Amino acid sequence: MAKIHVTTTINGAPTEFLCDPSQTLLDVLRDQLGLTGSKEGCGSGDCGACSVTVDGRLVCSCLVLAPEAEGAKVETIEGMAQGDKLHPLQKKFVEMAALQCGICTPGFLIASRALLERNNNPTETEIRYWLAGNLCRCTGYDKIIHAVMEVAAEMRESAK
Amino acid sequence: MTDIQFKVAKTVREAASLMAAAKGKGRILAGGTDLLVQMKAGMVTPGTIIDVKKIAEMVSITETKGSYRIGAATPAAVIGEHKKLRKAWPGVVEAINLIGSTQVQGRASAGGNLCNASPAADSVPALVAAGAIVTIQGAKTRRQVPVEKFNSGPGKTTLKAGEIVVSLTLPARPKTSGDAYLRLIPRTEMDIAVVGVGVSLTMKGDTCVSARVGLGAVAPTVLLVEAAAKALTGSKLDAKALDAAANACSAACRPIDDKRGTIRYRTKIAGVLLRRATAIAADRAKGISRPAHSQQGH
Ligand SMILES: Cc1cc2nc3c(=O)[nH]c(=O)nc-3n(C[C@H](O)[C@H](O)[C@H](O)COP(=O)(O)OP(=O)(O)OC[C@H]3O[C@@H](n4cnc5c(N)ncnc54)[C@H](O)[C@@H]3O)c2cc1C
């Protein structure tokens, strides 16, 4: 089968890859580019473990075809920390134990960042709806929601 | 896996000719939130996948003299962020914004929702109530059909070979109009409608001067319920008119029994939702703001 040559930008780095026409972005990220932070939970857009942003939009990478990344800017969990310096959301998730097994965590972090970039003063209800497409089977969600609220409060404080 | 081709169309005409060239094995890729799930499940095996998201006309929203044209592949999130459209057609926008999660909203389109032809598609009852017109491009010509005539059964559209949907047009209407969409699902998010009702009204003082009602998930296709609209039109939306309209919705139901709801339950709920959606649409027509449940997170 003819492979497609794709030129894209992943976490700010120009990246090229070859893929099959019906391969998903998630498969290429994980299996070809070694970016295994994005997880495959359901493979059908229900669980959000594969969340990434494409041109700033939060999406499930399991429901994006790899050739669609042509010319796009893709952001994955691997681009969230700056070297050893964790993103405030990552730090807060650790501090407040907003994770247990960790499979859903990259998706929650990417989705939470996308929310706080748009709105640094979300209500608890807004956070819960925004994150309704991210499933967690360990935490019961409360710790995650509270961590996001804390980070939002810190963002507002430092913006003063 | 068979030899699948991936093409990016640059114009509507090119997309239509690629569809024609694929001889029935072409599939338009809008947000892919139905298509990819179906491909993974082995339910569809396209010969050619045609991405239409590089075609400006298909991913933009334009307004001309109060009428809105929504590109068929415009992501739901983009539609929800369009303040003027949200103000003009709150019911249509809330219906589109109910589709899936934030992640799904980043990709899912109204055109995809319509072409996937699920009887429970959330945007369709609101589009039917709005009187939306579907613009279709074939290999040579364009044509338009009212949205309620577009689907012919579960998973079936009236598109002919080589035709694609370009856009959906919402007509201009008087300022004293309002619309609303309500669905019943067993959860508050991420589920398929048991019943969905779209209502669009134009008021003159306390009197309803025109109405349209779209009813989803209770028949093989989304229904335009003319008897319900007739019961509301000319009334002050009093108890008698609402009873008649609710009964008309229940009478129009030809639902299935499934794990989400029995025939009796769906039939009853169709009437209940008609009353509630009518109340919201009427408030909006009078300029009383009724925030959409789906916009809490946006
Ligand atoms: C997790 C999840 C939750 C969901 N929740 C809901 C929900 O709450 N309510 C709901 O109604 N749906 C829901 N869906 C289904 C789906 O998201 C919607 O139907 C969506 O609107 C499809 O749009 P799309 O752009 O992704 O379509 P695609 O998958 O790109 O296309 C769908 C079908 O239509 C065809 N098509 C698309 N555009 C055109 C065109 N312009 N011309 C001709 N053919 C075309 C495609 O070839 C394909 O067969 C959900 C899906 C997922 C994965």
Side-chain angles (χ1 to χ4, degrees):
Chain A
M1 186 177 349
K3 296 265 185 190
I4 297 177
H5 178 228
V6 176
T7 307
T8 185
T9 305
I10 299 182
N11 300 325
T15 307
E16 292 179 42
F17 59 79
L18 288 175
C19 66
D20 291 333
S22 61
Q23 218 172 342
T24 66
L25 177 58
L26 177 63
D27 285 344
V28 168
L29 289 173
R30 289 181 57 82
D31 302 342
Q32 264 165 264
L33 302 175
L35 299 171
T36 54
S38 307
K39 305 300 180 196
E40 175 158 48
C42 63
S44 56
D46 292 288
C47 80
C50 65
S51 296
V52 301
T53 60
V54 176
D55 291 331
R57 274 288 163 212
L58 183 67
V59 300
C60 288
S61 59
C62 76
L63 294 186
V64 176
L65 289 177
E68 292 185 74
E70 174 68 40
K73 289 196 166 53
V74 180
E75 299 280 338
T76 72
I77 188 64
E78 285 84 356
M80 203 153 168
Q82 301 301 316
D84 284 346
K85 201 170 167 273
L86 295 182
H87 185 279
L89 277 162
Q90 293 174 305
K91 242 195 196 137
K92 197 59 73 183
F93 269 50
V94 172
E95 272 169 39
M96 297 180 67
L99 71 156
Q100 288 181 33
C101 87
I103 285 279
C104 70
T105 311
F108 268 102
L109 287 167
I110 289 287
S112 304
R113 182 178 67 177
L115 170 62
L116 297 185
E117 279 169 3
R118 284 168 176 77
N119 177 5
N120 72 3
N121 196 10
T123 63
E124 178 174 341
T125 305
E126 284 172 335
I127 298 173
R128 286 187 188 274
Y129 271 99
W130 183 274
L131 296 177
N134 292 84
L135 302 185
C136 172
R137 300 290 82 163
C138 305
T139 64
Y141 300 104
D142 277 357
K143 291 176 174 179
I144 295 171
I145 306 299
H146 292 148
V148 177
M149 290 180 81
E150 277 297 304
V151 175
E154 286 178 11
M155 281 170 71
R156 293 197 300 276
E157 195 53 41
S158 62
K160 270 185 189 163
Chain B
M1 197 162 273
T2 52
D3 213 1
I4 299 178
Q5 305 252 342
F6 179 88
K7 304 271 188 197
V8 180
K10 305 247 164 31
T11 64
V12 170
R13 286 228 159 188
E14 187 191 353
S17 5
L18 285 166
M19 271 303 264
K23 300 207 183 334
K25 299 224 76 184
R27 284 281 177 162
I28 298 294
L29 172 66
T33 61
D34 281 315
L35 184 60
L36 265 69
V37 174
Q38 290 164 11
M39 282 168 59
K40 287 175 184 218
M43 287 159 66
V44 286
T45 316
T48 310
I49 297 170
I50 304 151
D51 187 354
V52 293
K53 293 189 296 300
K54 297 279 188 281
I55 306 171
E57 187 182 358
M58 290 188 67
V59 289
S60 58
I61 301 166
T62 51
E63 192 229 309
T64 337
K65 292 186 191 142
S67 158
Y68 286 87
R69 197 196 54 77
I70 303 171
T74 312
V78 173
I79 294 171
E81 286 162 9
H82 198 290
K83 289 208 177 75
K84 280 184 81 180
L85 179 63
R86 217 161 65 198
K87 194 150 183 269
W89 290 99
V92 170
V93 175
E94 74 192 338
I96 293 171
N97 284 167
L98 274 175
I99 298 171
S101 57
T102 316
Q103 285 87 340
V104 171
Q105 287 278 306
R107 300 265 295 168
S109 65
N113 200 222
L114 181 65
C115 292
N116 187 59
S118 159
D122 277 308
S123 72
V124 183
L127 289 167
V128 167
I133 302 293
V134 188
T135 299
I136 298 165
Q137 176 78 53
K140 293 203 180 68
T141 52
R142 275 197 179 199
R143 65 184 178 100
Q144 295 195 311
V145 297
V147 69
E148 63 271 17
K149 301 230 164 83
F150 181 81
N151 288 322
S152 55
K156 290 206 182 82
T157 73
T158 51
L159 286 178
K160 296 186 206 107
E163 281 186 331
I164 69 164
V165 173
V166 181
S167 58
L168 296 153
T169 303
L170 307 176
R173 60 178 183 167
K175 277 224 161 28
T176 55
S177 308
D179 68 329
Y181 174 73
L182 287 176
R183 71 172 178 185
L184 181 98
I185 54 172
R187 318 173 58 209
T188 53
E189 266 286 284
M190 302 289 282
D191 206 343
I192 298 170
V194 172
V195 181
V197 177
V199 175
S200 176
L201 305 172
T202 299
M203 303 294 289
K204 200 167 180 186
D206 284 334
T207 306
C208 169
V209 290
S210 78
R212 280 176 67 94
V213 175
L215 184 56
V218 295
T221 61
V222 172
L223 305 171
L224 172 69
V225 191
E226 282 169 328
K230 215 169 142 195
L232 298 175
T233 308
S235 82
K236 292 195 153 42
L237 304 179
D238 48 281
K240 202 173 135 223
L242 289 173
D243 282 348
N247 289 339
C249 278
S250 293
C253 291
R254 283 172 278 132
I256 53 165
D257 253 321
D258 74 1
K259 63 185 175 194
R260 289 195 171 77
T262 59
I263 290 174
R264 238 179 101 193
Y265 185 60
R266 286 174 195 260
T267 305
K268 169 139 201 235
I269 293 300
V272 174
L273 290 189
L274 177 280
R275 291 168 193 276
R276 294 182 188 169
T278 301
I280 298 172
D283 276 356
R284 286 173 175 165
K286 293 175 195 157
I288 304 165
S289 145
R290 295 282 301 258
H293 149 92
S294 66
Q295 278 161 16
Q296 289 180 338
H298 293 265

